[in-house]
């Protein structure tokens, strides 16, 4: 587990863009945090790091937004609306096992549909400034342990 403090939205995006440079096809990132915690801001930074220039919007009502023009495709999922039904019929494994990077917001609503290994990032407001965030990175599985090692080395 690693914690990083971001003082504002721009720092949140820089952290995400740095991580994006290390991502590989099939990587899955779970973003946890309350409404307004910075999940979409983080995703915007990740998209920039992947070379995606389209405007990134929260997929709250569409569930999945696909961005295909970067170094790797980005599959941005907001599964909040699946709280009652789960994601079994959506074919999420095709995204998780595909050629892109999957970002999942509110993954606690689809635990049975998630891959066994992933990187969980929890975003929590910190300090008196409403823009400060504490990001906690929790790698689950060997691939993500190595990813975090590379990420820490790239931060030096």
């Amino acid at each position: 587990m690693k914690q990083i403090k971001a003082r504002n939205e721009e720092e949140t995006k820089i952290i995400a863009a740095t991580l994006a440079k290390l991502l590989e096809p099939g990587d899955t990132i779970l973003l946890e945090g309350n409404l307004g915690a910075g999940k979409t801001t983080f995703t915007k930074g990740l998209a920039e790091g992947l070379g995606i220039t389209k405007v990134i919007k929260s997929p709250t009502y569409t569930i999945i937004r696909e961005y295909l023009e970067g170094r790797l495709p980005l599959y941005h999922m907001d599964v909040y609306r699946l709280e009652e039904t789960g994601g079994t019929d959506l074919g999420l494994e095709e995204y998780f096992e595909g050629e892109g990077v999957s970002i999942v917001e509110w993954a606690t609503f689809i635990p049975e549909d998630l891959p066994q290994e992933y990187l969980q990032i929890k975003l929590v407001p910190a300090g008196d400034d409403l823009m400060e965030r504490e990001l906690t990175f929790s790698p689950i599985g060997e691939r993500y342990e190595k990813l975090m090692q590379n990420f820490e080395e790239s931060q030096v």
Side-chain angles (χ1 to χ4, degrees):
M1 183 166 26
K2 176 170 180 59
Q3 293 184 322
I4 302 174
K5 189 171 269 189
R7 293 181 299 226
N8 53 46
E9 285 188 4
E10 194 56 37
E11 283 190 9
T12 299
K13 287 181 183 178
I14 290 169
I15 293 165
T18 301
L19 179 65
K21 291 174 180 26
L22 304 171
L23 295 175
E24 298 175 357
D27 279 346
T28 299
I29 299 173
L30 312 184
L31 295 181
E32 298 292 331
N34 292 332
L35 291 171
K39 297 182 297 291
T40 300
T41 298
F42 187 91
T43 303
K44 287 177 181 179
L46 200 90
E48 288 174 17
L50 290 172
I52 295 169
T53 58
K54 285 190 176 175
V55 175
I56 304 297
K57 300 179 198 170
S58 179
T60 302
Y61 297 104
T62 58
I63 301 176
I64 302 171
R65 288 192 187 268
E66 297 180 8
Y67 302 93
L68 305 176
E69 82 274 10
R71 176 177 70 83
L72 295 171
L74 176 64
Y75 310 123
H76 185 194
M77 306 173 195
D78 182 335
V79 297
Y80 184 82
R81 297 172 60 95
L82 301 179
E83 179 178 16
E84 303 294 324
T85 61
T88 306
D89 297 331
L90 291 178
L92 296 177
E93 67 278 351
E94 292 177 30
Y95 289 101
F96 297 140
E97 297 168 6
E99 294 299 311
V101 174
S102 297
I103 301 288
V104 185
E105 298 184 25
W106 302 101
T108 53
F109 294 135
I110 58 161
E112 64 283 347
D113 299 303
L114 295 172
Q116 290 186 354
E117 296 188 0
Y118 51 82
L119 176 62
Q120 180 183 53
I121 304 172
K122 187 169 187 174
L123 296 96
V124 178
D128 296 329
D129 184 348
L130 295 176
M131 301 315 296
E132 282 188 35
R133 298 286 180 266
E134 186 167 275
L135 288 75
T136 303
F137 294 76
S138 301
I140 308 299
E142 189 176 321
R143 158 70 188 131
Y144 298 96
E145 293 281 349
K146 183 162 178 42
L147 175 64
M148 284 309 301
Q149 282 179 337
N150 293 337
F151 179 68
E152 289 182 41
E153 290 169 8
S154 71
Q155 296 255 288
V156 177

PDB file of all heavy atoms in Angstrom, residues 10 22 27 31 35 47-48 52 55 60-61 69 71 80 82 102 107 116 123 125 128 142 144 147-148 153:
ATOM      1  N   GLU A  10      -4.836  19.371 -10.478  1.00  0.00           N
ATOM      2  CA  GLU A  10      -3.714  19.218 -11.412  1.00  0.00           C
ATOM      3  C   GLU A  10      -2.736  18.163 -10.913  1.00  0.00           C
ATOM      4  O   GLU A  10      -2.257  17.333 -11.695  1.00  0.00           O
ATOM      5  CB  GLU A  10      -3.007  20.560 -11.631  1.00  0.00           C
ATOM      6  CG  GLU A  10      -2.068  20.559 -12.806  1.00  0.00           C
ATOM      7  CD  GLU A  10      -2.723  20.151 -14.125  1.00  0.00           C
ATOM      8  OE1 GLU A  10      -3.888  20.502 -14.392  1.00  0.00           O
ATOM      9  OE2 GLU A  10      -2.052  19.442 -14.906  1.00  0.00           O
ATOM     10  N   LEU A  22       2.841   3.428 -17.351  1.00  0.00           N
ATOM     11  CA  LEU A  22       3.293   2.094 -16.946  1.00  0.00           C
ATOM     12  C   LEU A  22       2.255   1.004 -17.193  1.00  0.00           C
ATOM     13  O   LEU A  22       2.529  -0.175 -16.981  1.00  0.00           O
ATOM     14  CB  LEU A  22       3.646   2.111 -15.451  1.00  0.00           C
ATOM     15  CG  LEU A  22       4.685   3.147 -15.029  1.00  0.00           C
ATOM     16  CD1 LEU A  22       4.775   3.222 -13.513  1.00  0.00           C
ATOM     17  CD2 LEU A  22       6.038   2.833 -15.639  1.00  0.00           C
ATOM     18  N   ASP A  27      -4.911  -4.280 -17.931  1.00  0.00           N
ATOM     19  CA  ASP A  27      -4.824  -3.762 -16.560  1.00  0.00           C
ATOM     20  C   ASP A  27      -6.181  -3.230 -16.110  1.00  0.00           C
ATOM     21  O   ASP A  27      -6.933  -2.657 -16.901  1.00  0.00           O
ATOM     22  CB  ASP A  27      -3.774  -2.651 -16.454  1.00  0.00           C
ATOM     23  CG  ASP A  27      -2.357  -3.204 -16.344  1.00  0.00           C
ATOM     24  OD1 ASP A  27      -2.194  -4.415 -16.081  1.00  0.00           O
ATOM     25  OD2 ASP A  27      -1.407  -2.417 -16.521  1.00  0.00           O
ATOM     26  N   LEU A  31     -11.392   2.534  -8.784  1.00  0.00           N
ATOM     27  CA  LEU A  31     -11.352   3.831  -8.103  1.00  0.00           C
ATOM     28  C   LEU A  31     -12.458   3.862  -7.060  1.00  0.00           C
ATOM     29  O   LEU A  31     -13.627   3.687  -7.386  1.00  0.00           O
ATOM     30  CB  LEU A  31     -11.548   4.973  -9.102  1.00  0.00           C
ATOM     31  CG  LEU A  31     -10.457   5.153 -10.149  1.00  0.00           C
ATOM     32  CD1 LEU A  31     -10.793   6.332 -11.053  1.00  0.00           C
ATOM     33  CD2 LEU A  31      -9.100   5.342  -9.513  1.00  0.00           C
ATOM     34  N   LEU A  35     -18.834  10.558  -3.748  1.00  0.00           N
ATOM     35  CA  LEU A  35     -19.117  11.522  -4.808  1.00  0.00           C
ATOM     36  C   LEU A  35     -18.243  12.752  -4.602  1.00  0.00           C
ATOM     37  O   LEU A  35     -18.122  13.250  -3.483  1.00  0.00           O
ATOM     38  CB  LEU A  35     -20.589  11.915  -4.793  1.00  0.00           C
ATOM     39  CG  LEU A  35     -21.581  10.839  -5.215  1.00  0.00           C
ATOM     40  CD1 LEU A  35     -23.009  11.302  -4.939  1.00  0.00           C
ATOM     41  CD2 LEU A  35     -21.413  10.493  -6.675  1.00  0.00           C
ATOM     42  N   ALA A  47      -6.170   9.292 -18.788  1.00  0.00           N
ATOM     43  CA  ALA A  47      -6.417   9.384 -20.232  1.00  0.00           C
ATOM     44  C   ALA A  47      -5.343  10.245 -20.899  1.00  0.00           C
ATOM     45  O   ALA A  47      -4.817   9.875 -21.953  1.00  0.00           O
ATOM     46  CB  ALA A  47      -7.811   9.954 -20.494  1.00  0.00           C
ATOM     47  N   GLU A  48      -5.006  11.372 -20.286  1.00  0.00           N
ATOM     48  CA  GLU A  48      -3.958  12.233 -20.848  1.00  0.00           C
ATOM     49  C   GLU A  48      -2.645  11.468 -20.947  1.00  0.00           C
ATOM     50  O   GLU A  48      -1.938  11.557 -21.946  1.00  0.00           O
ATOM     51  CB  GLU A  48      -3.774  13.480 -19.982  1.00  0.00           C
ATOM     52  CG  GLU A  48      -4.910  14.476 -20.099  1.00  0.00           C
ATOM     53  CD  GLU A  48      -4.781  15.645 -19.124  1.00  0.00           C
ATOM     54  OE1 GLU A  48      -3.672  15.877 -18.584  1.00  0.00           O
ATOM     55  OE2 GLU A  48      -5.801  16.310 -18.893  1.00  0.00           O
ATOM     56  N   ILE A  52      -4.907  10.124 -24.847  1.00  0.00           N
ATOM     57  CA  ILE A  52      -6.295  10.299 -25.265  1.00  0.00           C
ATOM     58  C   ILE A  52      -6.645  11.776 -25.165  1.00  0.00           C
ATOM     59  O   ILE A  52      -6.443  12.391 -24.118  1.00  0.00           O
ATOM     60  CB  ILE A  52      -7.229   9.439 -24.391  1.00  0.00           C
ATOM     61  CG1 ILE A  52      -6.923   7.951 -24.638  1.00  0.00           C
ATOM     62  CG2 ILE A  52      -8.700   9.753 -24.663  1.00  0.00           C
ATOM     63  CD1 ILE A  52      -7.566   7.003 -23.663  1.00  0.00           C
ATOM     64  N   VAL A  55     -12.664  14.526 -24.562  1.00  0.00           N
ATOM     65  CA  VAL A  55     -13.134  14.964 -23.247  1.00  0.00           C
ATOM     66  C   VAL A  55     -13.622  13.737 -22.477  1.00  0.00           C
ATOM     67  O   VAL A  55     -14.421  12.951 -22.982  1.00  0.00           O
ATOM     68  CB  VAL A  55     -14.262  16.005 -23.392  1.00  0.00           C
ATOM     69  CG1 VAL A  55     -14.837  16.367 -22.033  1.00  0.00           C
ATOM     70  CG2 VAL A  55     -13.760  17.243 -24.112  1.00  0.00           C
ATOM     71  N   THR A  60     -21.785   7.729 -15.670  1.00  0.00           N
ATOM     72  CA  THR A  60     -22.817   7.360 -14.713  1.00  0.00           C
ATOM     73  C   THR A  60     -24.051   6.763 -15.371  1.00  0.00           C
ATOM     74  O   THR A  60     -24.566   5.746 -14.924  1.00  0.00           O
ATOM     75  CB  THR A  60     -23.224   8.591 -13.871  1.00  0.00           C
ATOM     76  OG1 THR A  60     -22.061   9.078 -13.210  1.00  0.00           O
ATOM     77  CG2 THR A  60     -24.266   8.220 -12.830  1.00  0.00           C
ATOM     78  N   TYR A  61     -24.538   7.369 -16.432  1.00  0.00           N
ATOM     79  CA  TYR A  61     -25.785   6.895 -17.040  1.00  0.00           C
ATOM     80  C   TYR A  61     -25.562   5.922 -18.183  1.00  0.00           C
ATOM     81  O   TYR A  61     -26.465   5.195 -18.565  1.00  0.00           O
ATOM     82  CB  TYR A  61     -26.633   8.086 -17.484  1.00  0.00           C
ATOM     83  CG  TYR A  61     -27.031   8.915 -16.292  1.00  0.00           C
ATOM     84  CD1 TYR A  61     -26.411  10.130 -16.027  1.00  0.00           C
ATOM     85  CD2 TYR A  61     -27.984   8.467 -15.395  1.00  0.00           C
ATOM     86  CE1 TYR A  61     -26.747  10.869 -14.907  1.00  0.00           C
ATOM     87  CE2 TYR A  61     -28.329   9.194 -14.270  1.00  0.00           C
ATOM     88  CZ  TYR A  61     -27.711  10.406 -14.035  1.00  0.00           C
ATOM     89  OH  TYR A  61     -28.025  11.123 -12.922  1.00  0.00           O
ATOM     90  N   GLU A  69      -8.487   6.028 -28.918  1.00  0.00           N
ATOM     91  CA  GLU A  69      -7.424   6.588 -29.751  1.00  0.00           C
ATOM     92  C   GLU A  69      -6.076   6.747 -29.063  1.00  0.00           C
ATOM     93  O   GLU A  69      -5.146   7.241 -29.677  1.00  0.00           O
ATOM     94  CB  GLU A  69      -7.874   7.932 -30.343  1.00  0.00           C
ATOM     95  CG  GLU A  69      -7.726   9.126 -29.417  1.00  0.00           C
ATOM     96  CD  GLU A  69      -8.919   9.332 -28.494  1.00  0.00           C
ATOM     97  OE1 GLU A  69      -9.784   8.468 -28.416  1.00  0.00           O
ATOM     98  OE2 GLU A  69      -8.963  10.371 -27.840  1.00  0.00           O
ATOM     99  N   ARG A  71      -2.553   5.367 -26.612  1.00  0.00           N
ATOM    100  CA  ARG A  71      -1.569   4.275 -26.655  1.00  0.00           C
ATOM    101  C   ARG A  71      -2.240   2.942 -26.361  1.00  0.00           C
ATOM    102  O   ARG A  71      -1.918   1.915 -26.951  1.00  0.00           O
ATOM    103  CB  ARG A  71      -0.453   4.554 -25.625  1.00  0.00           C
ATOM    104  CG  ARG A  71       0.580   3.444 -25.510  1.00  0.00           C
ATOM    105  CD  ARG A  71       1.686   3.787 -24.534  1.00  0.00           C
ATOM    106  NE  ARG A  71       1.276   3.797 -23.149  1.00  0.00           N
ATOM    107  CZ  ARG A  71       1.182   2.707 -22.366  1.00  0.00           C
ATOM    108  NH1 ARG A  71       1.455   1.520 -22.845  1.00  0.00           N
ATOM    109  NH2 ARG A  71       0.822   2.827 -21.106  1.00  0.00           N
ATOM    110  N   TYR A  80     -22.125   2.180 -10.494  1.00  0.00           N
ATOM    111  CA  TYR A  80     -22.991   2.556  -9.373  1.00  0.00           C
ATOM    112  C   TYR A  80     -24.438   2.094  -9.603  1.00  0.00           C
ATOM    113  O   TYR A  80     -25.095   1.613  -8.694  1.00  0.00           O
ATOM    114  CB  TYR A  80     -22.938   4.074  -9.178  1.00  0.00           C
ATOM    115  CG  TYR A  80     -23.729   4.565  -7.991  1.00  0.00           C
ATOM    116  CD1 TYR A  80     -23.189   4.513  -6.714  1.00  0.00           C
ATOM    117  CD2 TYR A  80     -25.011   5.087  -8.151  1.00  0.00           C
ATOM    118  CE1 TYR A  80     -23.905   4.962  -5.615  1.00  0.00           C
ATOM    119  CE2 TYR A  80     -25.734   5.542  -7.054  1.00  0.00           C
ATOM    120  CZ  TYR A  80     -25.181   5.475  -5.798  1.00  0.00           C
ATOM    121  OH  TYR A  80     -25.896   5.914  -4.714  1.00  0.00           O
ATOM    122  N   LEU A  82     -25.479  -0.417 -11.006  1.00  0.00           N
ATOM    123  CA  LEU A  82     -25.623  -1.880 -11.013  1.00  0.00           C
ATOM    124  C   LEU A  82     -25.731  -2.456  -9.600  1.00  0.00           C
ATOM    125  O   LEU A  82     -25.650  -3.668  -9.417  1.00  0.00           O
ATOM    126  CB  LEU A  82     -24.438  -2.520 -11.743  1.00  0.00           C
ATOM    127  CG  LEU A  82     -24.238  -2.096 -13.195  1.00  0.00           C
ATOM    128  CD1 LEU A  82     -23.025  -2.788 -13.780  1.00  0.00           C
ATOM    129  CD2 LEU A  82     -25.486  -2.387 -14.019  1.00  0.00           C
ATOM    130  N   SER A 102      -8.949  -0.892 -18.022  1.00  0.00           N
ATOM    131  CA  SER A 102     -10.291  -0.700 -17.459  1.00  0.00           C
ATOM    132  C   SER A 102     -10.191   0.088 -16.162  1.00  0.00           C
ATOM    133  O   SER A 102      -9.426  -0.265 -15.267  1.00  0.00           O
ATOM    134  CB  SER A 102     -10.957  -2.052 -17.169  1.00  0.00           C
ATOM    135  OG  SER A 102     -11.139  -2.779 -18.353  1.00  0.00           O
ATOM    136  N   ALA A 107     -16.724  -0.191  -7.779  1.00  0.00           N
ATOM    137  CA  ALA A 107     -16.535  -1.626  -8.023  1.00  0.00           C
ATOM    138  C   ALA A 107     -17.127  -2.498  -6.913  1.00  0.00           C
ATOM    139  O   ALA A 107     -17.379  -3.677  -7.141  1.00  0.00           O
ATOM    140  CB  ALA A 107     -15.048  -1.934  -8.180  1.00  0.00           C
ATOM    141  N   GLN A 116      -9.390 -11.259 -10.699  1.00  0.00           N
ATOM    142  CA  GLN A 116      -8.779 -11.616  -9.413  1.00  0.00           C
ATOM    143  C   GLN A 116      -7.689 -10.645  -9.003  1.00  0.00           C
ATOM    144  O   GLN A 116      -7.437 -10.456  -7.820  1.00  0.00           O
ATOM    145  CB  GLN A 116      -8.215 -13.034  -9.462  1.00  0.00           C
ATOM    146  CG  GLN A 116      -9.287 -14.094  -9.524  1.00  0.00           C
ATOM    147  CD  GLN A 116      -8.716 -15.499  -9.433  1.00  0.00           C
ATOM    148  OE1 GLN A 116      -7.503 -15.698  -9.441  1.00  0.00           O
ATOM    149  NE2 GLN A 116      -9.603 -16.467  -9.356  1.00  0.00           N
ATOM    150  N   LEU A 123      -9.601   7.444  -3.131  1.00  0.00           N
ATOM    151  CA  LEU A 123      -9.411   8.894  -3.084  1.00  0.00           C
ATOM    152  C   LEU A 123     -10.255   9.458  -1.946  1.00  0.00           C
ATOM    153  O   LEU A 123     -11.465   9.212  -1.893  1.00  0.00           O
ATOM    154  CB  LEU A 123      -9.836   9.531  -4.407  1.00  0.00           C
ATOM    155  CG  LEU A 123      -9.013   9.123  -5.630  1.00  0.00           C
ATOM    156  CD1 LEU A 123      -9.687   8.002  -6.378  1.00  0.00           C
ATOM    157  CD2 LEU A 123      -8.782  10.298  -6.525  1.00  0.00           C
ATOM    158  N   PRO A 125     -10.857  13.139   0.394  1.00  0.00           N
ATOM    159  CA  PRO A 125     -10.509  14.541   0.655  1.00  0.00           C
ATOM    160  C   PRO A 125      -9.625  14.638   1.896  1.00  0.00           C
ATOM    161  O   PRO A 125      -9.841  13.919   2.876  1.00  0.00           O
ATOM    162  CB  PRO A 125     -11.863  15.217   0.879  1.00  0.00           C
ATOM    163  CG  PRO A 125     -12.841  14.328   0.174  1.00  0.00           C
ATOM    164  CD  PRO A 125     -12.302  12.935   0.318  1.00  0.00           C
ATOM    165  N   ASP A 128      -7.759  21.071   4.904  1.00  0.00           N
ATOM    166  CA  ASP A 128      -8.790  22.101   4.896  1.00  0.00           C
ATOM    167  C   ASP A 128      -9.169  22.533   3.477  1.00  0.00           C
ATOM    168  O   ASP A 128     -10.264  23.015   3.243  1.00  0.00           O
ATOM    169  CB  ASP A 128      -8.315  23.335   5.673  1.00  0.00           C
ATOM    170  CG  ASP A 128      -8.102  23.006   7.145  1.00  0.00           C
ATOM    171  OD1 ASP A 128      -8.820  22.117   7.657  1.00  0.00           O
ATOM    172  OD2 ASP A 128      -7.225  23.624   7.771  1.00  0.00           O
ATOM    173  N   GLU A 142       0.355 -10.121  -8.164  1.00  0.00           N
ATOM    174  CA  GLU A 142       1.753  -9.930  -8.533  1.00  0.00           C
ATOM    175  C   GLU A 142       1.946  -8.846  -9.591  1.00  0.00           C
ATOM    176  O   GLU A 142       2.855  -8.014  -9.490  1.00  0.00           O
ATOM    177  CB  GLU A 142       2.312 -11.263  -9.039  1.00  0.00           C
ATOM    178  CG  GLU A 142       3.799 -11.263  -9.242  1.00  0.00           C
ATOM    179  CD  GLU A 142       4.314 -12.636  -9.644  1.00  0.00           C
ATOM    180  OE1 GLU A 142       3.817 -13.656  -9.117  1.00  0.00           O
ATOM    181  OE2 GLU A 142       5.219 -12.670 -10.498  1.00  0.00           O
ATOM    182  N   TYR A 144       0.271  -6.195 -10.140  1.00  0.00           N
ATOM    183  CA  TYR A 144       0.059  -4.856  -9.591  1.00  0.00           C
ATOM    184  C   TYR A 144       1.080  -4.501  -8.512  1.00  0.00           C
ATOM    185  O   TYR A 144       1.384  -3.322  -8.315  1.00  0.00           O
ATOM    186  CB  TYR A 144      -1.397  -4.712  -9.134  1.00  0.00           C
ATOM    187  CG  TYR A 144      -2.302  -4.872 -10.334  1.00  0.00           C
ATOM    188  CD1 TYR A 144      -2.887  -6.092 -10.636  1.00  0.00           C
ATOM    189  CD2 TYR A 144      -2.481  -3.827 -11.234  1.00  0.00           C
ATOM    190  CE1 TYR A 144      -3.661  -6.256 -11.782  1.00  0.00           C
ATOM    191  CE2 TYR A 144      -3.236  -3.988 -12.381  1.00  0.00           C
ATOM    192  CZ  TYR A 144      -3.826  -5.203 -12.652  1.00  0.00           C
ATOM    193  OH  TYR A 144      -4.566  -5.359 -13.795  1.00  0.00           O
ATOM    194  N   LEU A 147       3.754  -3.289 -10.769  1.00  0.00           N
ATOM    195  CA  LEU A 147       3.341  -1.983 -11.278  1.00  0.00           C
ATOM    196  C   LEU A 147       3.621  -0.894 -10.238  1.00  0.00           C
ATOM    197  O   LEU A 147       4.157   0.164 -10.564  1.00  0.00           O
ATOM    198  CB  LEU A 147       1.851  -1.998 -11.644  1.00  0.00           C
ATOM    199  CG  LEU A 147       1.242  -0.670 -12.077  1.00  0.00           C
ATOM    200  CD1 LEU A 147       1.869  -0.158 -13.366  1.00  0.00           C
ATOM    201  CD2 LEU A 147      -0.265  -0.828 -12.244  1.00  0.00           C
ATOM    202  N   MET A 148       3.300  -1.178  -8.986  1.00  0.00           N
ATOM    203  CA  MET A 148       3.518  -0.180  -7.936  1.00  0.00           C
ATOM    204  C   MET A 148       5.011   0.058  -7.691  1.00  0.00           C
ATOM    205  O   MET A 148       5.423   1.192  -7.437  1.00  0.00           O
ATOM    206  CB  MET A 148       2.816  -0.588  -6.638  1.00  0.00           C
ATOM    207  CG  MET A 148       1.314  -0.371  -6.671  1.00  0.00           C
ATOM    208  SD  MET A 148       0.820   1.294  -7.209  1.00  0.00           S
ATOM    209  CE  MET A 148       1.614   2.330  -6.003  1.00  0.00           C
ATOM    210  N   GLU A 153       9.333   4.000  -8.409  1.00  0.00           N
ATOM    211  CA  GLU A 153      10.628   4.356  -9.001  1.00  0.00           C
ATOM    212  C   GLU A 153      10.485   5.544  -9.947  1.00  0.00           C
ATOM    213  O   GLU A 153      11.380   6.380 -10.032  1.00  0.00           O
ATOM    214  CB  GLU A 153      11.226   3.157  -9.733  1.00  0.00           C
ATOM    215  CG  GLU A 153      11.676   2.059  -8.798  1.00  0.00           C
ATOM    216  CD  GLU A 153      12.020   0.759  -9.509  1.00  0.00           C
ATOM    217  OE1 GLU A 153      12.060   0.746 -10.761  1.00  0.00           O
ATOM    218  OE2 GLU A 153      12.247  -0.236  -8.812  1.00  0.00           O
TER     219      GLU A 153
END
